[in-house]
Amino acid sequence: MIYLIGEYECKLDTKGRMVVPAALKRQLPDVEREGLVVNRGFDGNLVIYTRNEWNKILTQLSRLNQFQAKNRDFVRKFTSGATELMLDSAGRVLLPRVLLDYAQVANELVLVCNLSKVELWSKAKYEEKMASISEEDFSDLAESVMGDFDLEGGLDV
């Protein structure tokens, strides 16, 4: 499993293409051969997965009991709009207009690495989201989420 790092500001061209930043591309050694998958996120953003990570998610989804309506509804909604992205010779990917509209991305966007996936946000929505979490809130979140987290040898942050 790979863990990605970084935050990248990007722009879309008039056709809805985005250049994958070189620093991010270096972290994705198989991206030109295997491509990526983009999908709706849960927070009004988009999420980009490596093909390998997307396949892991599909494997998990395939284990859900399809005789339960909530499982079918979730799988249907979650996979709706998922699109394969292939890099062109200039290192660009064409983002589907329907997904860009969902995430309210016009021209400027931010790619935020989040463990094994990349969140794609409209720049304005991302700045608003981050501003809504004060330093005190962040400290409280850290304590709430990580306070009782027990790792061998502890967690150094």
Side-chain angles (χ1 to χ4, degrees), residues 52-152:
N52 188 37
E53 285 301 312
W54 180 251
N55 288 342
K56 288 178 187 177
I57 291 169
L58 293 181
T59 298
Q60 290 177 315
L61 294 177
S62 73
R63 293 181 184 132
L64 294 174
N65 182 345
Q66 292 296 302
F67 291 102
Q68 293 182 353
K70 67 180 180 180
N71 292 347
R72 292 191 310 273
D73 288 345
F74 175 74
V75 171
R76 186 177 301 115
K77 184 73 173 178
F78 181 76
T79 59
S80 163
T83 304
E84 187 174 50
L85 302 176
M86 297 303 291
L87 274 70
D88 67 12
S89 60
R92 299 172 300 196
V93 292
L94 177 63
L95 297 164
R97 176 54 48 198
V98 68
L99 294 181
L100 291 172
D101 290 345
Y102 166 81
Q104 301 174 2
V105 175
N107 182 31
E108 295 183 328
L109 60 97
V110 179
L111 298 175
V112 182
C113 294
N114 183 338
L115 303 174
S116 61
K117 61 188 176 287
V118 179
E119 294 181 340
L120 186 156
W121 292 82
S122 92
K123 184 177 178 184
K125 280 178 69 175
Y126 181 67
E127 288 172 351
E128 181 181 314
K129 179 75 167 171
M130 294 306 287
S132 73
I133 305 169
S134 71
E135 293 302 317
E136 185 176 322
D137 290 343
F138 182 58
S139 178
D140 291 345
L141 269 173
E143 182 177 343
S144 174
V145 172
M146 301 299 291
D148 292 328
F149 197 61
D150 187 24
L151 289 175
E152 287 184 20

